[in-house]
Amino acid sequence: GDSVTQMEGPVTLSEEAFLTINCTYTATGYPSLFWYVQYPGEGLQLLLKATKADDKGSNKGFEATYRKETTSFHLEKGSVQVSDSAVYFCALTRGETSGSRLTFGEGTQLTVNP
Amino acid sequence: GAVVSQHPSRVICKSGTSVKIECRSLDFQATTMFWYRQFPKQSLMLMATSNEGSKATYEQGVEKDKFLINHASLTLSTLTVTSAHPEDSSFYICSARVASGPLNTEAFFGQGTRLTVV
């Protein structure tokens, strides 16, 4: 079946550091890929998505590129801020949108220190 | 727009009692709602998919008689954990798919409910 694997956390960085959170997936066909963010006490929010190979999703300085050859969708940000501290989830779906059922990774806790 | 409210955010109950969790779409109609569960240090696992006016579809291994899901209107779905036990302690989160409009292909999440059974 479909599965998503994220790098283990927690991840602790200093402000303005470069961030990479690795995500790889296993799925047949051409899934759509997502990154969600969960701030403390809040629900999951869609951060970015990509629906086909080589697509790059981007939002709020975060980027991820759909790499079919390596089945990866790594999340990157060039300069993190304290406000980026949250849990990040990688996910996939067979549909083109998050309106279909999602398969999630384990989540990665990010803490950014001033 | 596209706000999903889940209530309560935290609940503690005694073993053997039942707990109801509500998931409301506040400013849109949702034909489909999803219920997920998350154990500590693990990923969100889909429990069931509910469509307004019909029976929920449960994932393999999820007891439908224990986790009762009702989706009686386009803005409300409920999950009732019946005869709760400590192993039911978990983080439960719902998502709702917009029924129509420009956001009609995306799903939006509630803030989750932390259930502790003592």
Side-chain angles (χ1 to χ4, degrees), chain B residues 6-27:
Chain B
Q6 197 171 329
H7 178 79
S9 57
R10 290 180 180 274
V11 59
I12 300 173
C13 70
K14 292 184 177 180
S15 288
T17 61
S18 295
V19 174
K20 180 184 285 188
I21 302 170
E22 293 187 347
C23 180
R24 292 182 185 272
S25 53
L26 297 187
D27 50 3

Side-chain angles (χ1 to χ4, degrees), chain B:
Chain B
V3 177
V4 176
S5 175
Q6 197 171 329
H7 178 79
S9 57
R10 290 180 180 274
V11 59
I12 300 173
C13 70
K14 292 184 177 180
S15 288
T17 61
S18 295
V19 174
K20 180 184 285 188
I21 302 170
E22 293 187 347
C23 180
R24 292 182 185 272
S25 53
L26 297 187
D27 50 3
F28 66 97
Q29 292 185 327
T31 51
T32 302
M33 289 189 175
F34 302 91
W35 286 96
Y36 293 84
R37 177 176 183 178
Q38 185 181 29
F39 292 101
K41 309 276 188 199
Q42 296 185 31
S43 65
L44 288 155
M45 300 298 295
L46 180 65
M47 298 174 66
T49 302
S50 72
N51 292 296
E52 185 266 336
S54 61
K55 289 185 178 180
T57 301
Y58 290 81
E59 295 299 302
Q60 190 172 10
V62 177
E63 299 176 60
K64 60 182 66 176
D65 293 331
K66 181 166 187 62
F67 299 100
L68 300 178
I69 291 173
N70 183 281
H71 191 165
S73 77
L74 286 172
T75 60
L76 174 65
S77 176
T78 60
L79 167 66
T80 301
V81 183
T82 63
S83 186
H85 289 95
E87 57 265 30
D88 298 325
S89 299
S90 191
F91 183 72
Y92 295 86
I93 193 166
C94 69
S95 71
R97 184 168 68 196
V98 180
S100 63
L103 299 176
N104 70 349
T105 54
E106 302 295 342
F108 299 88
F109 284 82
Q111 71 270 46
T113 297
R114 174 73 59 191
L115 170 63
T116 303
V117 184
V118 297

Side-chain angles (χ1 to χ4, degrees), chain A residues 14-89:
Chain A
S14 297
E15 208 165 21
E16 299 184 3
F18 184 84
L19 168 71
T20 299
I21 301 178
N22 290 338
C23 171
T24 57
Y25 68 90
T26 302
T28 56
Y30 300 90
S32 295
L33 303 173
F34 304 83
W35 276 101
Y36 281 86
V37 58
Q38 185 177 31
Y39 299 103
E42 299 183 19
L44 274 70
Q45 301 174 27
L46 179 62
L47 181 60
L48 53 85
K49 72 175 188 179
T51 58
K52 59 183 186 295
D54 300 325
D55 266 3
K56 177 186 283 187
S58 62
N59 185 25
K60 299 181 181 179
F62 291 90
E63 292 184 341
T65 301
Y66 189 146
R67 301 285 188 201
K68 186 153 182 68
E69 64 276 13
T70 54
T71 61
S72 65
F73 193 55
H74 305 322
L75 182 68
E76 296 182 337
K77 186 174 185 181
S79 176
V80 294
Q81 306 299 312
V82 172
S83 57
D84 294 327
S85 298
V87 181
Y88 292 82
F89 291 92

Side-chain angles (χ1 to χ4, degrees), chain A residues 101-112:
Chain A
R101 53 178 294 175
L102 290 158
T103 299
F104 286 92
E106 302 87 347
T108 301
Q109 173 76 55
L110 170 66
T111 301
V112 180

